[in-house]
Amino acid sequence: MNTITAAITAVGAYVPDFVLTNKALETMVDTNDEWITSRTGIKERRILKDEDKGTSFLAVKAAQDLLAKANIDPLEIDLLIMATATPDMPVAATGVYVATQIGATNAFAYDLQAACSSFLFGMSTAAAYIESGRYKKVLLIGADKMSSIVDYTDRSTCIIFGDGAGAVLFEPNYEGLGLQDEYLRSDGIGRDFLKIDAGGSLNPTTLQTVKDNKHNIIQDGKTVFKYAVTNMADSSELILKRNNLTNEDVDWLVPHQANKRIIDATANRMNLEDSKVLMNIEKYGNTTSATLPLVLSDFEHLFKKGDVIILAAFGGGFTWGSIYLKWAYDKK
């Protein structure tokens, strides 16, 4: 029997219509366009303004985009994995609701949370299900409504995050394409540097936690930046060495879109030319679980069957890693 590998066979994406520009942020906090651009590479981000819509709305839209483009019956989906740091609610998995909403009623579904590494870790999980031979179609969605946990008076976070969703379909491949190798890591030292203080079992919601603004994301920017630069670059370099790949072998780097300086450091460590480094951070900011699939969607037209792609991410916790993927199709 031929070896089964897990390949991405379709992608989809969705971002809200409302654009929050750097100029608009100048009227909200003490910042300016030049400062934001030079330090992050972000020019604008998309925001889901509807108060009655959550992350599931974004995820459903991205999934529907994928299903329509690939002409796939949602009843064929075996499993839906929802990578998100902002589920609709703490209990009742968002992925379960999304599966029902898109008509994937033959699938089982669940949520996966590893902060900004959620989608990368989800790729590993989806691939394992495919490689087991038990499932044929696994839909992995990365979606976050970061505006729901951002304090728009906090300059250190409100300039960074945006809302969005992306989706990929994993299917069996018998040509040796798809996911080739992974290097995934985590370290609980990061627990204090990027977090939401209240709302969990350690510090449940009270009137006081709401009054004290303990339900929005906070970060120690300098510490997070230092760890992100080191670990994203290290893991990407390691995945190349472990697979005897050189910078010439790599066709594309798909990095988590958190900060252009982190992306540049990773590319420099890999000795990659700028044309191979894919970025859309200027348009969307950091959409957390959605950054990697949004890049895949935006640049799908460039990918050729057999292209070597390195994906890398870093997230709160800390969580990080890299995946070596061979692209499985030419866009029609």
Side-chain angles (χ1 to χ4, degrees):
M1 187 175 74
N2 292 336
T3 301
I4 300 173
T5 53
I8 292 174
T9 58
V11 301
Y14 176 78
V15 291
D17 293 331
F18 183 84
V19 178
L20 179 60
T21 65
N22 290 350
K23 287 292 185 183
L25 282 171
E26 290 179 6
T27 69
M28 300 163 63
V29 290
D30 182 17
T31 191
N32 60 69
D33 175 64
E34 191 279 330
W35 192 92
I36 298 172
T37 304
S38 64
R39 284 162 178 77
T40 68
I42 301 168
K43 283 288 189 183
E44 56 190 40
R45 63 291 289 146
R46 300 298 185 95
I47 304 296
L48 181 59
K49 299 290 284 185
D50 309 61
E51 293 183 0
D52 62 338
K53 294 182 173 65
T55 294
S56 62
F57 174 81
L58 303 168
V60 167
K61 289 288 191 180
Q64 289 173 337
D65 180 53
L66 181 151
L67 295 170
K69 289 196 300 186
N71 193 29
I72 293 171
D73 184 345
L75 293 175
E76 297 176 17
I77 304 297
D78 300 308
L79 163 63
L80 186 150
I81 301 173
M82 181 74 201
T84 185
T86 57
D88 282 4
M89 53 187 73
V91 176
T94 301
V96 175
Y97 178 73
V98 170
T100 299
Q101 289 297 107
I102 66 171
T105 52
N106 290 325
F108 73 100
Y110 60 85
D111 295 356
L112 186 156
Q113 207 278 74
C116 292
S117 300
S118 296
F119 189 84
L120 192 77
F121 287 15
M123 289 180 67
S124 171
T125 308
Y129 279 110
I130 294 294
E131 291 163 2
S132 75
R134 293 183 179 181
Y135 304 102
K136 302 297 184 184
K137 285 183 170 60
V138 178
L139 182 62
L140 171 62
I141 305 173
D144 273 303
K145 185 181 177 181
M146 293 303 294
S147 61
S148 67
I149 57 171
V150 166
D151 176 0
Y152 284 93
T153 67
D154 176 10
R155 184 177 68 171
S156 68
T157 56
C158 74
I159 66 169
I160 296 169
F161 295 104
D163 303 337
V168 301
L169 183 69
F170 275 94
E171 294 186 270
N173 184 276
Y174 301 94
E175 301 175 273
L177 302 173
L179 199 149
Q180 305 294 307
D181 195 14
E182 62 183 44
Y183 179 80
L184 307 177
R185 290 294 183 269
S186 59
D187 188 342
I189 195 173
R191 181 176 167 112
D192 291 330
F193 302 115
L194 180 55
K195 62 180 178 176
I196 295 174
D197 276 321
S201 60
L202 184 64
N203 192 10
T205 303
T206 65
L207 289 174
Q208 193 62 46
T209 63
V210 174
K211 181 180 178 181
D212 293 342
N213 198 25
K214 296 288 188 180
H215 295 269
N216 288 318
I217 192 168
I218 57 173
Q219 70 169 349
D220 178 340
K222 290 183 179 179
T223 302
V224 173
F225 179 84
K226 180 182 71 174
Y227 276 92
V229 166
T230 301
N231 288 313
M232 260 183 67
D234 283 352
S235 61
S236 299
E237 183 181 37
L238 186 145
I239 205 89
L240 294 186
K241 289 182 177 179
R242 197 159 77 178
N243 291 278
N244 297 313
L245 297 172
T246 70
N247 61 321
E248 295 297 323
D249 297 317
V250 176
D251 293 295
W252 310 104
L253 172 65
V254 175
H256 171 51
Q257 308 287 301
N259 185 303
K260 186 177 183 298
R261 291 184 294 167
I262 298 172
I263 297 171
D264 289 342
T266 302
N268 289 338
R269 182 73 68 83
M270 298 170 69
N271 197 26
L272 288 183
E273 55 194 75
D274 291 346
S275 61
K276 292 184 175 183
V277 183
L278 302 182
M279 283 189 280
N280 57 14
I281 189 172
E282 73 282 355
K283 296 193 298 180
Y284 306 135
N286 182 354
T287 54
T288 307
S289 308
T291 64
L292 295 181
L294 281 175
V295 172
L296 292 176
S297 178
D298 278 2
F299 295 97
E300 180 192 17
H301 63 285
L302 297 179
F303 303 154
K304 299 291 187 289
K305 186 176 180 179
D307 276 2
V308 170
I309 299 175
I310 303 297
L311 301 99
F314 180 88
F318 290 126
T319 59
W320 71 92
S322 293
I323 282 178
Y324 162 29
L325 182 87
K326 286 187 178 178
W327 198 249
Y329 63 94
D330 295 320
K331 191 173 187 299
K332 296 177 182 178

